[in-house]
Amino acid sequence: MTTATLTPAPSGNRILYRFLVIAAALFLAWFFGYEQLLKPDGRLDATLCKQITASGVGLLQMLGFKATVSLELPTLVVMSGKPAVIIGAPCNGLVLYILFAGFVAAFPGPWRRKLWYISAGIALIWCLNVVRVAALAINHHYSQQSVDFNHHYTFTFVVYGFIFGLWMLWAKRLAIPAQSSGTPQSSTDALRAQTT
């Protein structure tokens, strides 16, 4: 008769410390990489703003709206010849991508699974941001008085709620390695699952 030994789950404190150390390292990388180098340079933000603007205009055109990118300002959405929405650096999605990726990277789970989930999550957040830009342009076109509220509250709630939902999906369902048909893990498998 063979017995399988189960390794105890990592203690809650160890997981918390690991999460905090990785989160702190990612914050420092963001601070020195973006805040000190890329943000002052401005090219990354400008590129992302132009790309989100063009994508938002493309979506509006697909929906049948008369929308264009301004010739004078490549981050301005123009609807029916009138300025509608300008995309600035805070709205280009970069902070959202990093926030989402940082949480998933810091949370325990297999790295291969993290890589595809981070990529898929960023793509979904990008799509949501394009929809947000198009919706704000439509909002401006039909009801200018509600744009400020929707920009600062409604869409902020929707976007951060969506990201929170992605985090919960990762934490509750996808971060846990798949178990094989009810058989207990060997200690080697348990260790491998914790370190991959």
Side-chain angles (χ1 to χ4, degrees), residues 27-148:
F27 174 78
L28 290 173
W30 169 260
F31 179 77
F32 289 109
Y34 176 75
E35 294 288 338
Q36 303 301 313
L37 297 173
L38 295 174
K39 186 177 181 180
D41 177 61
R43 286 182 286 183
L44 176 61
D45 283 320
T47 300
L48 288 172
C49 290
K50 289 175 192 175
Q51 192 271 334
I52 288 290
T53 303
S55 299
V57 165
L59 178 59
L60 287 165
Q61 290 172 347
M62 279 179 31
L63 296 173
F65 290 95
K66 190 176 176 185
T68 58
V69 176
S70 168
L71 295 175
E72 295 82 25
L73 185 61
T75 59
L76 175 63
V77 177
V78 177
M79 296 235 338
S80 300
K82 295 180 181 175
V85 176
I86 188 166
I87 310 304
C91 296
N92 65 21
L94 181 61
V95 172
L96 301 175
Y97 309 148
I98 298 301
L99 188 65
F100 168 74
F103 176 87
V104 175
F107 202 85
W111 275 101
R112 254 187 275 169
R113 194 177 291 175
K114 283 182 184 185
L115 291 176
W116 76 258
Y117 191 73
I118 288 171
S119 300
I122 288 173
L124 288 171
I125 295 166
W126 177 86
C127 289
L128 185 60
N129 203 22
V130 170
V131 169
R132 181 183 73 92
V133 167
L136 281 170
I138 293 168
N139 186 179
H140 184 272
H141 187 69
Y142 291 107
S143 179
Q144 291 182 14
Q145 67 276 10
S146 63
V147 170
D148 193 51

Side-chain angles (χ1 to χ4, degrees), residues 161-181:
F162 182 77
I163 293 171
F164 181 76
L166 289 175
W167 285 344
M168 288 298 98
L169 178 62
W170 173 257
K172 299 285 186 185
R173 302 261 181 193
L174 299 173
I176 303 163
Q179 296 284 333
S180 60
S181 64

